[in-house]
Amino acid sequence: AGNYTLTIQPDAASVRAISGNVAAGLIRLNGTDRLKIDGSNGGSGSYLTFRNTNTSGSTGTAFTFFNGATNNTLQYCNTRAYADATNGTILFGTSAVAGGNSNNLVDNCLISASVASNIGNVAIYSAGTIGNENSNNTISNNIIYNYRDRALDITATGSTGWIISGNNIYNGNIIGAINYAAASQLHGIRILGGAGYTVLNNYIGGSGINASG
């Protein structure tokens, strides 16, 4: 079919919102390759918003990459969803396809794990498949916020070799409203398995960018 890229981009410098109450996930990239979703217009701004309004707190992601979704780009977008501890706002899921969900870029996005007063456990979650690992994905220059426990969580198996750089990660503006159990652990970036990760130049903490507040 050729190595073409499909680009989705706003046609003007005004916000376009894609919103829905979708329990199975709002945008599901099932084996999708070379899709570029770029919320900028004329090289600036973030004018695309993806918001899953589902409040069941389970599988209602904003974006799900699965079954060999590769070489996709999500940039300059606002994403918001309320999901459980093993889904998140953006999920890199399992794959029955060789190569996993790999070589994807999430860059310069606002990624929130809250919808209305509902706060999700995790913003970005990767739970890949052994042998078809989610590899070489890049999470860069994003603002990742309003999560309960974990901004970015990579499980013990099924992922390897990610680049995580230049992100602003914080939930200080919402943790005061949560009654955490005494043994609770909060993570900005949690990597439980795999190898070859690059993690650098991220701000973690506070209640605003650059760990302010």
Side-chain angles (χ1 to χ4, degrees), residues 60-83:
T61 62
F63 283 89
T64 300
F65 299 78
F66 67 115
N67 280 340
T70 61
N71 297 297
N72 301 293
T73 297
L74 177 65
Q75 64 183 24
Y76 297 104
C77 292
N78 301 325
T79 66
R80 183 181 293 270
Y82 166 58

Side-chain angles (χ1 to χ4, degrees), residues 110 142-147 167-174 202-213:
L110 290 174
N142 304 287
I143 297 175
I144 307 171
Y145 68 114
N146 282 6
Y147 56 90
N167 301 286
N168 282 275
I169 296 170
Y170 61 87
N171 67 345
N173 51 326
I174 58 99
N202 300 284
Y203 284 96
I204 301 174
S207 56
I209 63 171
N210 300 332
S212 61

Side-chain angles (χ1 to χ4, degrees), residues 18-108:
I18 296 89
S19 180
N21 183 340
V22 189
L26 183 66
I27 307 294
R28 293 167 56 81
L29 304 181
N30 184 356
T32 304
D33 298 329
R34 301 181 302 279
L35 172 64
K36 183 177 183 179
I37 302 177
D38 183 352
S40 68
N41 180 265
S44 64
S46 298
Y47 300 107
L48 286 181
T49 294
F50 296 88
R51 180 174 55 246
N52 194 338
T53 61
N54 186 270
T55 57
S56 64
S58 56
T59 56
T61 62
F63 283 89
T64 300
F65 299 78
F66 67 115
N67 280 340
T70 61
N71 297 297
N72 301 293
T73 297
L74 177 65
Q75 64 183 24
Y76 297 104
C77 292
N78 301 325
T79 66
R80 183 181 293 270
Y82 166 58
D84 65 17
T86 56
N87 282 276
T89 306
I90 298 175
L91 169 64
F92 292 84
T94 57
S95 178
V97 177
N101 308 296
S102 301
N103 301 304
N104 299 292
L105 170 66
V106 180
D107 181 69
N108 276 292

Side-chain angles (χ1 to χ4, degrees), residues 96-208:
V97 177
N101 308 296
S102 301
N103 301 304
N104 299 292
L105 170 66
V106 180
D107 181 69
N108 276 292
C109 291
L110 290 174
I111 303 167
S112 170
S114 69
V115 173
S117 60
N118 301 291
I119 303 168
N121 294 85
V122 59
I124 301 173
Y125 191 77
S126 182
T129 302
I130 296 174
N132 296 331
E133 283 81 6
N134 299 335
S135 62
N136 301 317
N137 294 305
T138 298
I139 309 298
S140 57
N141 306 310
N142 304 287
I143 297 175
I144 307 171
Y145 68 114
N146 282 6
Y147 56 90
R148 180 185 174 93
D149 302 320
R150 290 154 287 141
L152 193 158
D153 193 5
I154 297 175
T155 60
T157 59
S159 300
T160 194
W162 289 37
I163 297 172
I164 304 164
S165 68
N167 301 286
N168 282 275
I169 296 170
Y170 61 87
N171 67 345
N173 51 326
I174 58 99
I175 58 174
I178 298 174
N179 185 17
Y180 289 98
S184 295
Q185 296 183 4
L186 308 184
H187 302 271
I189 299 170
R190 184 170 76 161
I191 300 171
L192 296 178
Y197 294 93
T198 300
V199 181
L200 73 163
N201 298 328
N202 300 284
Y203 284 96
I204 301 174
S207 56

